[in-house]
Amino acid sequence: MKAQAPTAQGQGLSTQARNLHWLLSNLVDEVPGIHSVAVVSSDGLMLLSSDPGRMENAPGHGGEDDGPRGSSADLATIVSGLGSLTNGAAKLMDGGAVKQTMVAMDEGSLFVMSISDGSLLGVHATPDCDMSVIAYHMALFVGRAGHVLTPELRTELRKSMESPQ
């Protein structure tokens, strides 16, 4: 199943926010094997999602208690936790900054890549995905998005994720 492209019509969003939504849409549309994509702030809040329309079902958003399995809401939670875990491990091992984490599972793959401001890009993909293609396109996204994720833009993106789609 192909991930649903973000639905950012640009209603009330700044040019930079619309550009980030467009970059995420391209990542989802152009890279085979992607299930779900999420950009998470350094404090664990979702900023961008490949399926923003499903947020109303996520815990704390007025939906069912267990939320949508496999959605970007779940992915954001996992990415935030994995990012925290790998950053802690890197500190304990004097390994420097964590750039990328990849988890290969029987039924899928999980990729997490650091963005310059401490935010994280997470991708849940099929088990037969081309890992190098996904990592390459994630690096392109990070390179293009990292310098524009200002505190003001993060606040705008957070608010847009909380409002009804």
Side-chain angles (χ1 to χ4, degrees):
M1 179 175 105
K2 186 70 174 161
Q4 185 181 26
T7 56
Q9 279 79 15
Q11 299 169 342
L13 293 179
S14 68
T15 300
Q16 289 180 326
R18 287 192 311 270
N19 287 343
L20 285 178
H21 279 279
W22 181 82
L23 284 172
L24 189 70
S25 293
N26 278 354
L27 178 64
V28 170
D29 291 342
E30 294 182 10
V31 182
I34 291 181
H35 284 306
S36 187
V37 179
V39 175
V40 182
S41 67
S42 59
D43 57 357
L45 298 173
M46 187 162 20
L47 300 176
L48 290 170
S49 166
S50 62
D51 59 350
R54 294 175 71 183
M55 274 301 293
E56 66 272 4
N57 293 328
H61 287 83
E64 298 173 16
D65 289 337
D66 57 356
R69 276 183 56 86
S71 73
S72 293
D74 288 337
L75 181 60
T77 302
I78 294 164
V79 166
S80 180
L82 188 58
S84 180
L85 180 65
T86 55
N87 283 330
K91 285 179 185 171
L92 286 173
M93 297 175 180
D94 293 324
V98 177
K99 297 177 183 178
Q100 180 178 349
T101 305
M102 201 281 296
V103 179
M105 302 169 282
D106 287 341
E107 300 301 323
S109 298
L110 174 64
F111 302 84
V112 178
M113 193 171 284
S114 296
I115 300 177
S116 62
D117 70 332
S119 299
L120 300 167
L121 171 64
V123 172
H124 174 218
T126 61
D128 60 343
C129 69
D130 187 330
M131 293 179 189
S132 62
V133 169
I134 289 180
Y136 171 76
H137 283 277
M138 288 177 72
L140 288 177
F141 180 93
V142 166
R144 293 174 180 153
H147 68 283
V148 298
L149 273 173
T150 62
E152 297 81 15
L153 184 57
R154 287 193 302 270
T155 299
E156 178 184 358
L157 291 169
R158 260 193 291 256
K159 288 179 182 177
S160 74
M161 290 301 295
E162 293 169 356
S163 65
Q165 299 291 323

